[in-house]
Amino acid sequence: FYRKTNNKPLDKLTIMVISKEGVFALVIENTTLFYNMGGEMMTNRDKLKKEFNGDLDEKANVTYNDIIKQVAKVLPSYGLSLYKANSGLTNWSKMTYNPTTNLVDEILCK
């Protein structure tokens, strides 16, 4: 919200996440949707937590793949996409949830 209201570009904003599973980036792909959902993200945290956790709270043994799948499933509704770096950080793959297979497809970026 700050960036948008102060004429800062949203398309240049990337959030990096470093975990045991690898290096990930959250990239704003739809600035209008991201801006519109920003208020929802700030004011309705219970709904946000429920969406991002999905059914993970009920699972006994949650894996990194479970978390990646749930995040990849929800992020597009907020205008965001999830990317994963290879081990050398030279190539990235877009992590896209496929509802037909209930898996995450890794699409290599060119």
Side-chain angles (χ1 to χ4, degrees):
F1 181 78
Y2 170 82
R3 292 183 69 80
K4 175 81 172 178
T5 57
N6 288 284
N7 296 317
K8 304 283 184 189
L10 291 174
D11 61 341
K12 305 296 182 205
L13 181 64
T14 302
I15 301 166
M16 304 299 288
V17 177
I18 301 170
S19 73
K20 290 180 183 180
E21 187 61 21
V23 177
F24 296 87
L26 302 177
V27 178
I28 299 171
E29 302 240 347
N30 183 328
T31 56
T32 303
L33 182 58
F34 180 77
Y35 177 73
N36 291 338
M37 295 303 287
E40 182 74 18
M41 293 186 324
M42 298 307 289
T43 59
N44 199 344
R45 292 178 189 244
D46 289 337
K47 179 183 175 214
L48 186 68
K49 181 179 176 186
K50 186 174 183 173
E51 281 184 46
F52 275 93
N53 285 347
D55 65 352
L56 296 178
D57 289 337
E58 288 86 43
K59 288 186 97 170
N61 297 310
V62 177
T63 66
Y64 276 108
N65 285 335
D66 294 330
I67 295 167
I68 291 167
K69 179 170 56 173
Q70 183 61 31
V71 170
K73 187 187 303 186
V74 176
L75 283 177
S77 63
Y78 289 88
L80 298 164
S81 292
L82 179 66
Y83 291 82
K84 183 178 181 182
N86 68 4
S87 61
L89 301 177
T90 55
N91 293 312
W92 291 79
S93 294
K94 185 173 183 178
M95 310 296 284
T96 305
Y97 174 71
N98 183 333
T100 304
T101 62
N102 194 32
L103 297 171
V104 174
D105 296 331
E106 292 189 34
I107 303 164
L108 186 63
C109 299
K110 296 181 182 195

